[in-house]
PDB file of all heavy atoms in Angstrom:
ATOM      1  N   THR B 167     141.863  89.376  75.136  1.00 93.00           N
ATOM      2  CA  THR B 167     142.462  90.709  75.269  1.00 93.00           C
ATOM      3  C   THR B 167     143.559  90.924  74.231  1.00 93.00           C
ATOM      4  O   THR B 167     144.372  91.825  74.364  1.00 93.00           O
ATOM      5  CB  THR B 167     143.071  90.899  76.670  1.00 93.00           C
ATOM      6  OG1 THR B 167     144.020  89.841  76.879  1.00 93.00           O
ATOM      7  CG2 THR B 167     142.026  90.852  77.750  1.00 93.00           C
ATOM      8  N   GLY B 168     143.592  90.079  73.193  1.00 91.00           N
ATOM      9  CA  GLY B 168     144.666  90.140  72.194  1.00 91.00           C
ATOM     10  C   GLY B 168     144.568  91.351  71.283  1.00 91.00           C
ATOM     11  O   GLY B 168     143.575  92.089  71.285  1.00 91.00           O
ATOM     12  N   GLY B 169     145.616  91.541  70.487  1.00 90.00           N
ATOM     13  CA  GLY B 169     145.712  92.710  69.611  1.00 90.00           C
ATOM     14  C   GLY B 169     144.660  92.744  68.516  1.00 90.00           C
ATOM     15  O   GLY B 169     144.144  93.801  68.165  1.00 90.00           O
ATOM     16  N   GLN B 170     144.308  91.564  67.955  1.00 91.00           N
ATOM     17  CA  GLN B 170     143.293  91.552  66.900  1.00 91.00           C
ATOM     18  C   GLN B 170     141.928  91.922  67.481  1.00 91.00           C
ATOM     19  O   GLN B 170     141.157  92.677  66.891  1.00 91.00           O
ATOM     20  CB  GLN B 170     143.223  90.168  66.263  1.00 91.00           C
ATOM     21  CG  GLN B 170     144.479  89.810  65.503  1.00 91.00           C
ATOM     22  CD  GLN B 170     144.645  88.309  65.366  1.00 91.00           C
ATOM     23  OE1 GLN B 170     144.507  87.572  66.338  1.00 91.00           O
ATOM     24  NE2 GLN B 170     144.953  87.862  64.164  1.00 91.00           N
ATOM     25  N   MET B 171     141.662  91.368  68.677  1.00 94.00           N
ATOM     26  CA  MET B 171     140.377  91.636  69.325  1.00 94.00           C
ATOM     27  C   MET B 171     140.239  93.124  69.655  1.00 94.00           C
ATOM     28  O   MET B 171     139.231  93.747  69.318  1.00 94.00           O
ATOM     29  CB  MET B 171     140.267  90.799  70.603  1.00 94.00           C
ATOM     30  CG  MET B 171     138.967  90.979  71.335  1.00 94.00           C
ATOM     31  SD  MET B 171     137.548  90.463  70.370  1.00 94.00           S
ATOM     32  CE  MET B 171     137.436  88.749  70.836  1.00 94.00           C
ATOM     33  N   THR B 172     141.269  93.717  70.282  1.00 94.00           N
ATOM     34  CA  THR B 172     141.139  95.132  70.663  1.00 94.00           C
ATOM     35  C   THR B 172     141.061  96.026  69.430  1.00 94.00           C
ATOM     36  O   THR B 172     140.365  97.040  69.448  1.00 94.00           O
ATOM     37  CB  THR B 172     142.302  95.584  71.566  1.00 94.00           C
ATOM     38  OG1 THR B 172     143.537  95.199  70.975  1.00 94.00           O
ATOM     39  CG2 THR B 172     142.186  95.006  72.953  1.00 94.00           C
ATOM     40  N   ALA B 173     141.753  95.642  68.339  1.00 93.00           N
ATOM     41  CA  ALA B 173     141.692  96.457  67.119  1.00 93.00           C
ATOM     42  C   ALA B 173     140.258  96.504  66.593  1.00 93.00           C
ATOM     43  O   ALA B 173     139.756  97.572  66.230  1.00 93.00           O
ATOM     44  CB  ALA B 173     142.631  95.897  66.055  1.00 93.00           C
ATOM     45  N   VAL B 174     139.597  95.346  66.584  1.00 94.00           N
ATOM     46  CA  VAL B 174     138.238  95.296  66.044  1.00 94.00           C
ATOM     47  C   VAL B 174     137.223  95.903  67.026  1.00 94.00           C
ATOM     48  O   VAL B 174     136.317  96.633  66.608  1.00 94.00           O
ATOM     49  CB  VAL B 174     137.863  93.850  65.641  1.00 94.00           C
ATOM     50  CG1 VAL B 174     136.379  93.744  65.346  1.00 94.00           C
ATOM     51  CG2 VAL B 174     138.657  93.431  64.419  1.00 94.00           C
ATOM     52  N   THR B 175     137.386  95.655  68.324  1.00 94.00           N
ATOM     53  CA  THR B 175     136.437  96.259  69.273  1.00 94.00           C
ATOM     54  C   THR B 175     136.595  97.779  69.300  1.00 94.00           C
ATOM     55  O   THR B 175     135.620  98.505  69.512  1.00 94.00           O
ATOM     56  CB  THR B 175     136.580  95.684  70.697  1.00 94.00           C
ATOM     57  OG1 THR B 175     137.935  95.812  71.128  1.00 94.00           O
ATOM     58  CG2 THR B 175     136.168  94.234  70.767  1.00 94.00           C
TER      59      THR B 175
END
Side-chain angles (χ1 to χ4, degrees):
Chain B
T167 56
Q170 293 157 312
M171 181 62 90
T172 50
V174 169
T175 54

